[in-house]
Amino acid sequence: DVKVTQSSRYLVKRTGEKVFLECVQDMDHENMFWYRQDPGLGLRLIYFSYDVKMKEKGDIPEGYSVSREKKERFSLILESASTNQTSMYLCAITTDNTEAFFGQGTRLTVV
Amino acid sequence: QQQVKQSPQSLIVQKGGISIINCAYENTAFDYFPWYQQFPGKGPALLIAIRPDVSEKKEGRFTISFNKSAKQFSLHIMDSQPGDSATYFCAASNTGFQKLVFGTGTRLLVSP
């Protein structure tokens, strides 16, 4: 089974802090994604990566950046956290048949 | 822009009833239409998926109906059970890009 692990289940950060969300996969999949999930808005794509050191903006990249130095690890970075970034963040990978496997999510609260 | 529109936002169904969730898409390049199920505290998991070369796919109590001309697809849950209570997301993608676009989700509650 594909395993996608997010480093934290819950995080509380202060406005203006730099925040790192980590995602690790246990297989050799190229494609990794970061989504945020908000009630009534579904899952919105923030950034994705097709390979090491490659990144593409999704639909809502403002206020975020990403890093992929190793194939198995994809990090989401909030350069200066704001209260409107309080959300559930989900990391995912896709397999060759396009099936997506998600991590358990990180619920981030910015105060 | 919302490329995949999902309705209803919430749904209450009695045990044994049929749950129906609808989605509509705009991009005719989409060629893969999955449904994901999410329980509280968990990430979404693939439930069932369809490609546009068929109009219906059934797996157990779950059926996807697909109407290519109308650009719509729906999830039917037959004999709904309390254990089906979850949030359901439709999605669509162009497999060449492997990037999924999700609907806004439907919170289903199956009452005992």
Side-chain angles (χ1 to χ4, degrees):
Chain A
D1 280 357
V2 176
K3 190 171 184 182
V4 180
T5 302
Q6 294 182 230
S7 54
S8 304
R9 291 294 301 273
Y10 302 95
L11 277 178
V12 180
K13 297 292 182 181
R14 294 194 180 279
T15 300
E17 274 192 79
K18 191 170 185 176
V19 181
F20 293 85
L21 303 183
E22 307 285 343
C23 175
V24 177
Q25 57 154 319
D26 67 341
M27 299 291 283
D28 202 31
H29 297 289
E30 283 86 14
N31 307 322
M32 298 187 76
F33 303 81
W34 276 106
Y35 290 89
R36 66 176 280 176
Q37 180 178 1
D38 301 287
L41 297 178
L43 280 70
R44 294 180 292 166
L45 183 62
I46 305 171
Y47 266 97
F48 58 103
S49 169
Y50 287 139
D51 207 343
V52 175
K53 295 192 184 297
M54 293 182 66
K55 60 184 179 183
E56 297 282 345
K57 292 181 179 179
D59 300 318
I60 52 165
E62 297 78 19
Y64 304 94
S65 63
V66 290
S67 172
R68 194 167 181 197
E69 297 295 320
K70 294 183 178 181
K71 197 168 191 177
E72 68 270 19
R73 187 180 298 269
F74 191 35
S75 302
L76 180 69
I77 304 160
L78 286 65
E79 297 289 345
S80 177
S82 64
T83 55
N84 63 11
Q85 292 178 310
T86 291
S87 185
M88 170 70 84
Y89 290 88
L90 289 161
C91 175
I93 64 97
T94 56
T95 60
D96 292 339
N97 65 358
T98 314
E99 179 176 355
F101 291 87
F102 286 85
Q104 79 276 24
T106 296
R107 185 165 293 281
L108 173 67
T109 302
V110 183
V111 298
Chain B
Q1 69 280 16
Q2 188 65 46
Q3 294 190 56
V4 179
K5 295 184 179 180
Q6 182 173 347
S7 64
Q9 188 170 357
S10 62
L11 183 61
I12 301 174
V13 173
Q14 287 202 331
K15 180 182 176 182
I18 302 173
S19 305
I20 301 174
I21 305 171
N22 300 299
C23 283
Y25 64 98
E26 300 168 3
N27 188 345
T28 55
F30 289 150
D31 60 0
Y32 175 69
F33 302 90
W35 285 89
Y36 282 79
Q37 180 187 54
Q38 184 182 31
F39 293 105
K42 303 285 188 181
L46 179 66
L47 181 63
I48 186 172
I50 197 168
R51 295 194 183 272
D53 52 343
V54 296
S55 61
E56 186 175 282
K57 183 175 182 180
K58 184 176 181 178
E59 291 184 0
R61 296 184 294 109
F62 301 90
T63 299
I64 299 179
S65 297
F66 184 79
N67 185 329
K68 188 173 182 178
S69 61
K71 294 188 286 185
Q72 295 175 347
F73 58 110
S74 59
L75 176 69
H76 296 237
I77 306 175
M78 312 299 288
D79 187 27
S80 298
Q81 299 296 312
D84 297 330
S85 297
T87 300
Y88 293 81
F89 294 96
C90 62
S93 75
N94 179 327
T95 51
F97 294 100
Q98 296 197 10
K99 187 177 70 168
L100 287 164
V101 178
F102 285 87
T104 51
T106 296
R107 181 173 286 187
L108 171 66
L109 176 65
V110 180
S111 59

